[in-house]
Amino acid sequence: MPARTPSSPTTGLPGGEFGLIEWIRQRTGSHPLVDVGIGDDAAMLSWPTTHPALVAVDMLVENVHFDLSRAKPEQVGHKALAVNLSDIAAMGGQPLAAVVSVALPRGSQHDLGQRLHDGLITLAEQTGVALAGGDTTATDGPLVVSVTVIGTPLEGGPILRSGARPGDRLLVTGYLGNSRERHHLDFTPRLAESVGLVESGGLHAMIDISDGLAADLHHVLTASGVGARLNASDIPTREPDTPVRDGRTPLAHAVADGEDFELLAAVDPRVAEELVAAPPCGTPLSDIGEIVPGSGVELVMPNGHIVPLPPLGYEHRID
Ligand SMILES: [Mg+2]
């Protein structure tokens, strides 16, 4: 690990760009998929399957996607990888390798780059993903981190947004409306749950909930050319004891808030019943409604009233 060395005159990074890259190389270690890793001009991977590659990329920008006065650098690194793993999970895929680009603000704390990569590498290790390479630069702007993940579809995948059909049940993993409780920084991507859903054999369409239940459901409906009817009382809201400080109900949060990173799946009705009765990996699965012919979303409120649910649920008060 490089000691406290002066900033490089060429990069403005403490210890210089090469000090950080060497630290990352040592912190990363070896991985069976990586034949040539960090330190050469390109990485070379031993691709373990004849299946095609899935590729996802996501960029996080300081003061747009996170605030370093509220988020630790390790959490930013974790999130930068986790959002991509969530996308691979949503495709019914297995992530295999990642590459990372980071623009570090000149004059930032000398360990910002290390702490960010530490959070990222810890999640990579937990999920078996190889950190195969990346790029580091200094910037006069905000911290920017962009992660690209390469994976492969599971047997039975990939699962697209366009496969939902009338009669399918809509299942969602976990609980919704939790992102305000810092869940969006610490969430566990639903990789194991994706495997269970794909292996059920009844999975027709899937998406991860990054923009909010209402918005992401509309993405599926538009791609599939169908509509949906949701039962408000079946939507898994935050734990009952969690306070709601802003006066909005748990249902309003669950429908409109982004960054829950749960999976929303359209599933054959018979298979859905089995999955809800015995979730394949312990995470609760809730049946929140049904795919119907047509377009748009109807939300059946607990009092029986039916209200339309637009893509941006928060535009209309539904509570
Ligand atoms: Mg997504």
Side-chain angles (χ1 to χ4, degrees):
M1 179 189 300
R4 284 174 181 271
T5 47
S7 294
S8 155
T10 52
T11 65
L13 293 178
E17 179 183 354
F18 304 123
L20 177 59
I21 290 172
E22 178 58 21
W23 182 89
I24 296 168
R25 194 183 67 74
Q26 290 182 22
R27 171 70 179 80
T28 304
S30 62
H31 189 288
L33 284 187
V34 181
D35 291 336
V36 178
I38 295 166
D40 224 302
D41 293 307
M44 186 166 75
L45 306 176
S46 281
W47 203 241
T49 168
T50 55
H51 291 171
L54 292 172
V55 182
V57 62
D58 214 276
M59 181 185 290
L60 301 185
V61 179
E62 182 182 2
N63 300 328
V64 176
H65 302 100
F66 61 89
D67 176 350
L68 276 179
S69 68
R70 294 163 56 86
K72 296 178 189 151
E74 291 87 347
Q75 291 177 307
V76 175
H78 171 97
K79 180 172 181 175
L81 177 58
V83 293
N84 284 287
L85 301 184
S86 183
D87 277 332
I88 297 287
M91 296 292 290
Q94 177 191 5
L96 294 173
V99 290
V100 182
S101 284
V102 180
L104 289 163
R106 285 183 221 280
S108 55
Q109 293 275 319
H110 86 284
D111 60 353
L112 175 63
Q114 291 180 6
R115 291 180 64 188
L116 185 143
H117 279 86
D118 199 52
L120 196 151
I121 293 166
T122 299
L123 179 60
E125 289 169 346
Q126 289 166 354
T127 52
V129 171
L131 182 58
D135 190 26
T136 314
T137 187
T139 176
D140 293 322
L143 173 63
V144 178
V145 51
S146 174
V147 177
T148 300
V149 170
I150 313 166
T152 190
L154 297 163
E155 201 69 50
I159 307 299
L160 308 183
R161 300 176 178 185
S162 54
R165 50 194 93 155
D168 283 352
R169 302 304 305 182
L170 283 163
L171 305 188
V172 67
T173 59
Y175 297 91
L176 301 179
N178 288 313
S179 60
R180 285 172 188 239
E181 307 300 322
R182 306 180 68 74
H183 167 85
H184 70 102
L185 290 169
D186 296 322
F187 73 94
T188 301
R190 296 304 199 185
L191 291 163
E193 293 76 4
S194 170
V195 172
L197 287 162
V198 172
E199 287 182 346
S200 76
L203 181 57
H204 293 159
M206 192 151 66
I207 193 169
D208 66 322
I209 300 178
S210 54
D211 295 335
L213 172 63
D216 288 313
L217 174 56
H218 275 86
H219 293 324
V220 171
L221 301 181
T222 302
S224 299
V226 292
R229 175 175 278 218
L230 297 186
N231 298 309
S233 46
D234 293 330
I235 294 173
T237 55
R238 66 179 71 203
E239 316 290 344
D241 290 341
T242 307
V244 181
R245 298 191 203 95
D246 62 0
R248 295 167 68 217
T249 64
L251 177 63
H253 281 288
V255 166
D257 289 2
E259 305 222 309
D260 273 313
F261 297 107
E262 298 293 349
L263 294 174
L264 172 66
V267 181
D268 174 276
R270 277 158 301 181
V271 177
E273 198 176 334
E274 295 165 16
L275 284 168
V276 171
C281 53
T283 303
L285 273 174
S286 302
D287 181 332
I288 62 170
E290 175 178 31
I291 296 289
V292 298
S295 62
V297 181
E298 290 181 340
L299 182 63
V300 183
M301 299 301 286
N303 62 9
H305 292 167
I306 296 174
V307 297
L309 183 65
L312 298 175
Y314 55 79
E315 283 185 338
H316 296 253
R317 287 184 67 86
I318 56 157
D319 45 342

